[in-house]
């Protein structure tokens, strides 16, 4: 397992990983309609361009295993952890924890006081275990479909 910074050529693999993970791992907590709204196949080309820009701007790391991307995470310079996804074949191997620890070290280096995120129902237990606290349960809307998630914060002080 290798953790490295994001490179633009990773975008295609990352977008595919995102789609596959949402539609397999998150299906235990969300309906098919919600999964399609969250990670629609129709938005793939749009996601390729917008994510390449966003991931390049943000602090972004990928985990490589056997030559493929097994997970990725990105955080804004202000401490908002935007995306954290692990490939469906690499779940429960410490990849998400390694990514969060790496981003947390970056946040501390930037002298940030906290990291914020919006965690899915599926990811909430992971984030709680990583020291994040639920601030509020919320409902977001994607493509006209409502999805529940949690606004969570981890204090770095």
């Amino acid at each position: 397992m290798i953790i490295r910074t994001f490179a633009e050529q990773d975008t295609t693999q990352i977008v595919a990983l995102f789609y596959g993970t949402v539609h397999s791992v998150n299906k235990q907590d969300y309906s098919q309609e919600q999964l399609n709204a969250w990670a629609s196949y129709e938005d793939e080309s749009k996601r390729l361009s917008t994510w390449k820009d966003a991931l390049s701007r943000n602090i972004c790391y990928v985990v490589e295993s056997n030559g493929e991307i097994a997970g990725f995470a990105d955080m804004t310079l202000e401490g908002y952890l935007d995306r954290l996804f692990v490939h469906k074949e690499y779940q429960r191997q410490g990849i998400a924890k390694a990514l969060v620890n790496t981003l947390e070290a970056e946040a501390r280096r930037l002298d940030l006081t906290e990291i914020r995120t919006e965690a899915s129902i599926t990811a909430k237990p992971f984030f709680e275990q990583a020291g994040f606290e639920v601030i509020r349960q919320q409902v977001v809307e994607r493509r006209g479909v409502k999805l529940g998630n949690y606004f969570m914060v981890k204090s770095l002080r």
Side-chain angles (χ1 to χ4, degrees):
M1 179 169 77
I2 299 166
I3 299 177
R4 62 169 176 79
T5 56
F6 166 78
E8 286 188 4
Q9 61 265 28
D10 298 330
T11 308
T12 302
Q13 235 185 113
I14 282 173
V15 167
L17 183 155
F18 163 75
Y19 181 87
T21 299
V22 168
H23 282 273
S24 60
V25 175
N26 296 96
K27 71 181 179 185
Q28 66 190 18
D29 297 305
Y30 295 92
S31 70
Q32 190 61 51
E33 180 187 32
Q34 290 171 316
L35 297 174
N36 290 339
W38 180 4
S40 70
Y41 183 75
E42 294 79 31
D43 285 347
E44 184 177 9
S45 61
K46 178 183 172 191
R47 203 174 291 119
L48 284 168
S49 65
T50 58
W51 281 26
K52 181 174 73 171
D53 294 339
L55 297 173
S56 296
R57 259 192 327 274
N58 290 347
I59 300 164
C60 183
Y61 289 95
V62 299
V63 171
E64 267 189 47
S65 183
N66 302 319
E68 72 175 341
I69 295 176
F72 74 98
D74 72 306
M75 177 179 73
T76 67
L77 295 173
E78 296 77 34
Y80 178 72
L81 197 163
D82 195 0
R83 288 164 279 245
L84 171 63
F85 290 92
V86 175
H87 191 284
K88 62 184 179 181
E89 301 298 325
Y90 290 92
Q91 296 286 308
R92 304 199 187 296
Q93 295 180 25
I95 291 169
K97 183 176 182 177
L99 285 164
V100 168
N101 289 345
T102 303
L103 289 177
E104 186 176 324
E106 282 294 312
R108 290 181 189 283
R109 189 183 63 74
L110 292 169
D111 205 29
L112 298 176
T113 59
E114 65 183 21
I115 299 175
R116 300 168 318 285
T117 196
E118 294 177 80
S120 68
I121 296 166
T122 315
K124 178 182 173 257
F126 165 80
F127 280 107
E128 287 176 324
Q129 207 168 30
F132 285 73
E133 292 182 38
V134 173
I135 303 302
R136 67 181 172 273
Q137 188 172 0
Q138 57 188 20
V139 175
V140 297
E141 195 171 305
R142 300 281 184 267
R143 300 172 66 101
V145 177
K146 294 181 185 322
L147 296 95
N149 71 13
Y150 298 89
F151 182 75
M152 303 180 78
V153 174
K154 179 173 185 175
S155 174
L156 301 178
R157 298 279 181 224

